[in-house]
Amino acid sequence: MTLSDHERHARSLLDESAWAYLFGAAGDELTLASNLRAWQEMTLLPRVLRPLAGGHTRVELLGRTLAHPILIAPMAYQRLAHPDGEHATALATAALGAGLVFSTQASAPLEEIASMFLREAGRGPLWFQLYLQHDRGFTQALVQRAEAAGYEALVLTVDAPVQGARDRERRSGFRLPQGVAAVNLDGLRAPAARPLTTGQSALFDDLLCHAPSWDHIAWLRSITRLPVLLKGILHPDDARQAVACGAAGVIVSNHGGRTLDTAVSTASALPAVVQAVQGAVPVLVDGGIRRGTDVLKAIGLGASAVLLGRPALHGLTNAGATGVAHVLRLLRDELEIAMALTGCRTLADAPDALATVHPRPRPPA
Ligand SMILES: Cc1cc2nc3c(=O)[nH]c(=O)nc-3n(C[C@H](O)[C@H](O)[C@H](O)COP(=O)(O)O)c2cc1C
């Protein structure tokens, strides 16, 4: 009946370590919990007797009209959840008219997924999530492959210069099983370790020497004709800087609580980012979206669309493509019901549904 039913059922199908990788988070998992709670605690103030006939969930995003404002977030190694992995997710996402953001660390070749996804007439957007690699030549070749395969935008993830301390995952002894790998990174050689002197940090004096910075955005834009969105923005000043660097959009995200524990919830960060961006580019949000009412609230706060993470993997675990499709169908149906019950004929009315009045977001240019 609900996305949480899918979660409960998926739990019974996976072993402890796959569960820990797919559904755990960093530290004490407080941000994971607060992402959920923040949407739940935001209340709606319904309007009645408004005309609703002919309503719809359509939104405009980067020059396209989408049937509804839901995209699947980039998630690595989906073959851990189901043998059909990313293929099943792509099939269901395209069929349900949702957008797909395909992870650099996917366990399926990016070309296969694109050709499957782009075949569906009613599909949503197809974007490629990029982690900048230490090897610029390799990164450039990866971007060129994504362009050639038909991906329509790049989503550069900027909130994970290092993996978070995912304690539950480490406790479970998680290792990628045979046959599940980041196949699109085949051929990438690990950077040569720098010899450290006493007192130097393996993190600051080695690993982070390869971390992306604002300068890399200009470089990335110079090697691609695709729009570049930045994923993992929480601070309004970073949102402003993203716009100044030519980003085509920002995604308010804390990586679903998988990087920095106790980072603010995305629902609480969203309004200031929307204000900072002033409609210059679309703002999207992810983290803790589990109900149609959550989607309505996000749009009401000024998001152009939302990304759905773990629930898609719960559906995938339970029933492959059918499970992902079911999750998307449930969420979209709930969104329509929430719109009708708050008096929103279209999502342009969503700000009126919020109990707390926020400055009315300016629609993106
Ligand atoms: C198993 C898993 C793998 C993920 N892999 C990536 C990834 O490769 N790249 C990325 O930018 N975000 C990744 N994320 C974060 C998601 O894109 C998204 O920000 C987050 O899951 C949203 O929160 P939600 O799961 O509460 O919906 C991953 C999340 C999960 C659960």
Side-chain angles (χ1 to χ4, degrees):
M1 289 297 168
T2 69
L3 272 50
S4 54
D5 293 336
H6 267 285
E7 176 171 1
R8 256 193 310 280
H9 193 252
R11 181 79 191 87
S12 67
L13 297 180
L14 286 177
D15 66 48
E16 194 57 41
S17 92
W19 181 265
Y21 176 79
L22 291 171
F23 303 119
D28 297 310
E29 306 191 343
L30 298 171
T31 294
L32 171 62
S34 73
N35 275 348
L36 299 162
R37 208 171 43 242
W39 297 115
Q40 288 164 353
E41 287 177 352
M42 196 180 298
T43 50
L44 294 166
L45 187 57
R47 304 296 304 270
V48 298
L49 298 175
R50 288 179 159 195
L52 295 167
H56 60 78
T57 58
R58 288 192 292 278
V59 290
E60 302 293 319
L61 184 60
L62 294 182
R64 286 189 52 167
T65 303
L66 316 189
H68 57 78
I70 305 166
L71 293 87
I72 298 295
M75 286 177 288
Y77 305 123
Q78 296 186 15
R79 293 187 58 226
L80 285 170
H82 190 280
D84 297 343
E86 287 84 357
H87 288 84
T89 302
L91 192 65
T93 305
L96 272 283
L100 181 70
V101 190
F102 182 78
S103 167
T104 287
Q105 291 183 336
S107 48
L110 65 91
E111 291 84 359
E112 280 181 24
I113 298 303
S115 74
M116 175 183 246
F117 192 84
L118 294 171
R119 225 178 282 145
E120 174 66 47
R123 70 178 177 84
L126 177 65
W127 296 351
F128 183 76
Q129 179 267 327
L130 184 68
Y131 282 123
L132 283 185
Q133 305 298 324
H134 62 92
D135 178 340
R136 289 240 190 145
F138 190 94
T139 305
Q140 184 163 354
L142 191 60
V143 167
Q144 283 163 352
R145 276 177 64 193
E147 274 185 18
Y151 288 82
E152 298 157 324
L154 299 177
V155 172
L156 180 69
T157 298
V158 293
D159 61 1
V162 60
Q163 182 163 310
R166 297 214 293 261
D167 297 334
R168 181 164 22 156
E169 186 183 311
R170 288 187 300 177
R171 253 181 233 122
S172 78
F174 174 76
R175 290 265 176 283
L176 277 177
Q178 278 279 328
V180 181
V183 292
N184 296 296
L185 297 179
D186 277 356
L188 177 68
R189 278 208 295 268
R194 292 169 187 239
L196 296 178
T197 54
T198 313
Q200 280 193 315
S201 150
L203 195 56
F204 288 106
D205 299 306
D206 186 1
L207 189 82
L208 291 177
C209 299
H210 308 289
S213 70
W214 287 106
D215 298 337
H216 291 91
I217 312 294
W219 172 77
L220 180 60
R221 290 190 60 230
S222 78
I223 62 151
T224 183
R225 57 180 169 76
L226 298 180
V228 175
L229 295 92
L230 301 194
K231 173 175 182 279
I233 299 288
L234 293 170
H235 198 294
D237 288 347
D238 284 345
R240 277 187 208 99
Q241 191 157 358
V243 174
C245 289
V250 298
I251 303 178
V252 172
S253 175
N254 52 32
H255 223 103
R258 292 167 72 84
T259 49
L260 175 68
D261 197 26
T262 74
V264 291
S265 69
T266 49
S268 68
L270 177 61
V273 170
V274 168
Q275 278 306 109
V277 161
Q278 300 216 324
V281 297
V283 176
L284 290 81
V285 65
D286 73 16
I289 301 276
R290 302 292 182 268
R291 286 286 191 180
T293 43
D294 300 340
V295 182
L296 182 65
K297 290 167 189 174
I299 306 295
L301 290 178
S304 294
V306 303
L307 282 70
L308 186 68
R310 294 175 181 84
L313 298 185
H314 296 141
L316 180 64
T317 303
N318 290 332
T322 315
V324 179
H326 188 234
V327 161
L328 283 168
R329 183 75 252 172
L330 287 172
L331 195 61
R332 188 173 172 190
D333 286 351
E334 286 186 3
L335 171 60
E336 289 187 353
I337 294 168
M339 289 171 68
L341 291 176
T342 50
C344 297
R345 205 175 70 84
T346 73
L347 287 168
D349 299 328
D352 298 344
L354 302 181
T356 311
V357 179
H358 292 266
R360 210 178 167 89
R362 212 186 293 172

